[in-house]
Amino acid sequence: MNAFLIAVLAASTPAPAERLDGLCAPLRQGVAIDLAGTSYRPEQAHAPDEPLAAVDARQSMLLLPDGRFLLRTSNLYPGDIEFRYRTLGDRNGERTVDELGWRDGDVLQQDDAATVARDLADLRMLAPGLLACDAIARNPGRPAAGGAASFKDGAGREVTLAFDAAGDLASAKRDGDVYRYEGWNTDAALRLPATIIHSRDGRERERWTRVRARPAQAADTALLSLPDGYRPADPPPSLRATPLGDGAYRIDGAPSGYHTGFVVGEKGIVLFDAPIDVDEAKAVRAVIEKAAPGRAITHVVISHVHGDHVAGLPAHADAEVLVGAGGVAALRRQLGDRLPARVREVTHAETLELGDRRIRVLPLASDHAATMLVGFDPASGTLFQGDLFYIPERGAVPVAFSTGRELATLIDSNGLDVRTIVGVHGRSGTPADLRGAVARIPARNDRGCVGEQMTGAVACSTATE
Ligand SMILES: [Zn+2]
């Protein structure tokens, strides 16, 4: 581009101060936003050789000038396992519920004003018009043409806005977080980027490729609601080994809430999973040593190689680790030389001999993870599984995901006489719970209109209420 053209463009491009006004003005009464895109989650992929899962992410939000807000999120993990949460808040606090009730059941999570301040500031990074309003309100100096604008966000953190040569907002930075705004529309009354990319410490975390928004309206306050039937959490139980009968146990009260399972035999102990970090796994190991004094943990069966299920493995350096086909490379990638020395891939169903009892280890071709293994203890009728079937700690047995059907098929095809199904997540259940939950799997998951609620069809907005 020659100097003359640059001069002409500079003269015809509004300075960022005017751009800030233009971005902010339509949103002074608040904004309703729908986003859809991809969220990148480390060590949650279906294939063991992929370090990142590309999760289909949706988000709807309503942000009002007085601080009241609604946030709905839907994230679809491999196996179509959907996390769907709704948060309702104001400047004094926020309440969050698990809309599908499979992970947190009927628990009403309550967070304080300091959490709200951070959450609201994070949400505003996805609404560049509101950042413009913040820059105007909190930065009396106003930016010069081509310059950056800085202000402190609602949680007291420095945010710096940068503008591109055309005068559009190019990015917002705050500590290690960078939000890039690309492909600004030119014709709409409400200026929006086509894409918002969020990175932290140089790693892309979310890429929103469908960005829709509209100014908030008075009627939107009707959207500020939570579904009924949720109540605050009970105090967590203390860390202990809960007997399931006949030498089978489940760990309860771990800090993460995850449940390690184990079976005690004459010749050793088989453990199922090692969540979620080394400290927790060490604490769990101490509880097991008390429950079965003098017996060694001889095997750790890994349900699948997702990071939260394996990160405690270094606490069991003396045990043999059994993992699904292709899983050893994933464990090495995650744990390096902290991975126990004896690791073996299980490609066909096999039986572990513990002297007075045998444990079956069954590979399962699951849509959630290619490395899926299920453990079964015939003596107690206990089946151990991770992420195939969920029942929350408290609340109704939810609808299963398709992975629940995979588990039911595995039980049938192997003729397993199951009495108890122990999940790494949630309370234990029965085969009848599983069958009931599988029978209710819908033909098609509509995501509850999350990501379309605010700006989508009217039918979508009303169907969710
Ligand atoms: Zn998983």
Side-chain angles (χ1 to χ4, degrees):
M1 199 182 288
N2 65 38
F4 172 75
L5 249 180
I6 291 170
V8 169
L9 279 175
S12 62
T13 301
E18 293 163 50
R19 286 293 174 113
L20 289 177
D21 287 331
L23 285 175
C24 167
L27 304 187
R28 290 199 191 277
Q29 298 311 311
V31 63
I33 304 176
D34 285 317
L35 301 168
T38 305
S39 175
Y40 299 95
R41 307 294 167 100
E43 302 302 347
Q44 294 293 331
H46 176 264
D49 56 348
E50 288 174 13
L52 282 181
V55 168
D56 178 327
R58 313 272 176 95
Q59 186 161 317
S60 292
M61 49 194 188
L62 176 66
L63 303 171
L64 298 180
D66 61 4
R68 285 182 297 167
F69 71 101
L70 176 79
L71 168 67
R72 297 183 73 198
T73 60
S74 166
N75 290 284
L76 204 61
Y77 281 73
D80 286 351
I81 292 173
E82 184 192 355
F83 287 76
R84 193 192 298 175
Y85 284 87
R86 186 191 300 219
T87 300
L88 178 67
D90 58 31
R91 291 204 173 108
N92 299 315
E94 63 183 30
R95 295 175 294 154
T96 299
V97 301
D98 172 357
E99 290 194 35
L100 300 179
W102 62 269
R103 183 73 168 219
D104 294 318
D106 63 0
V107 169
L108 182 72
Q109 184 191 324
Q110 295 170 300
D111 291 291
D112 63 9
T115 304
V116 169
R118 284 192 300 275
D119 287 352
L120 270 181
D122 288 349
L123 295 180
R124 291 173 88 82
M125 298 295 247
L126 300 172
L130 294 183
L131 295 180
C133 294
D134 292 342
I136 293 166
R138 296 175 188 165
N139 181 12
R142 312 296 294 274
S150 293
F151 62 91
K152 289 266 202 294
D153 74 10
R157 301 168 297 186
E158 179 96 352
V159 176
T160 301
L161 307 182
F163 300 86
D164 62 20
D168 281 322
L169 182 59
S171 68
K173 294 185 185 176
R174 186 196 64 210
D175 298 326
D177 288 292
V178 180
Y179 293 75
R180 284 189 287 131
Y181 312 104
E182 298 182 348
W184 285 89
N185 61 4
T186 51
D187 48 354
L190 182 61
R191 300 214 61 217
L192 288 172
T195 304
I196 299 176
I197 303 158
H198 172 213
S199 304
R200 179 172 295 165
D201 300 327
R203 283 195 189 158
E204 187 169 321
R205 291 171 68 96
E206 288 111 31
R207 177 174 288 251
W208 300 107
T209 50
R210 196 181 73 203
V211 179
R212 294 178 183 158
R214 61 169 174 78
Q217 301 153 5
D220 288 337
T221 53
L223 296 169
L224 296 170
S225 71
L226 285 180
D228 294 331
Y230 293 83
R231 59 192 172 87
D234 301 319
S238 57
L239 181 62
R240 60 172 182 261
T242 302
L244 304 170
D246 297 306
Y249 297 82
R250 188 184 92 144
I251 293 290
D252 287 324
S256 65
Y258 282 51
H259 302 286
T260 300
F262 65 99
V263 176
V264 180
E266 262 175 10
K267 291 187 177 172
I269 298 172
V270 178
L271 214 65
F272 298 91
D273 272 4
I276 64 160
D277 56 41
V278 176
D279 286 345
E280 180 165 316
K282 280 183 178 167
V284 164
R285 189 179 169 103
V287 170
I288 295 169
E289 283 166 358
K290 259 191 186 166
R295 304 282 174 99
I297 295 171
T298 48
H299 306 83
V300 183
V301 177
I302 293 300
S303 66
H304 60 301
V305 297
H306 288 168
D308 48 332
H309 294 258
V310 308
L313 273 178
H316 307 295
D318 47 353
E320 180 180 49
V321 177
L322 276 65
V323 65
V328 171
L331 293 179
R332 283 205 202 293
R333 178 179 65 231
Q334 296 181 57
L335 300 170
D337 57 12
R338 296 179 305 138
L339 178 64
R342 290 184 297 139
V343 191
R344 184 160 63 77
E345 293 187 359
V346 176
T347 53
H348 297 90
E350 64 172 73
T351 301
L352 302 175
E353 298 284 350
L354 294 181
D356 57 339
R357 71 198 307 156
R358 301 163 140 201
I359 303 297
R360 296 191 69 186
V361 181
L362 303 155
L364 170 60
S366 172
D367 286 344
H368 181 61
T371 53
M372 195 64 76
L373 296 177
V374 171
F376 181 61
D377 171 38
S380 65
T382 309
L383 182 142
F384 297 91
Q385 57 87 26
D387 291 4
L388 292 171
F389 175 49
Y390 303 93
I391 308 179
E393 303 291 349
R394 200 187 71 193
V397 176
V399 177
F401 299 110
S402 60
T403 51
R405 191 179 285 128
E406 295 171 355
L407 180 61
T409 302
L410 177 101
I411 290 171
D412 289 345
S413 60
N414 287 278
L416 306 181
D417 186 11
V418 177
R419 288 209 292 273
T420 307
I421 299 172
V422 173
V424 177
H425 303 285
R427 69 181 188 267
S428 300
T430 64
D433 291 329
L434 174 62
R435 306 221 179 268
V438 166
R440 290 183 286 135
I441 295 175
R444 186 182 144 271
N445 185 348
D446 64 3
R447 309 291 294 278
C449 295
V450 181
E452 300 171 25
Q453 180 183 20
M454 299 301 176
T455 58
V458 172
C460 179
S461 298
T462 53
T464 61
E465 297 306 315

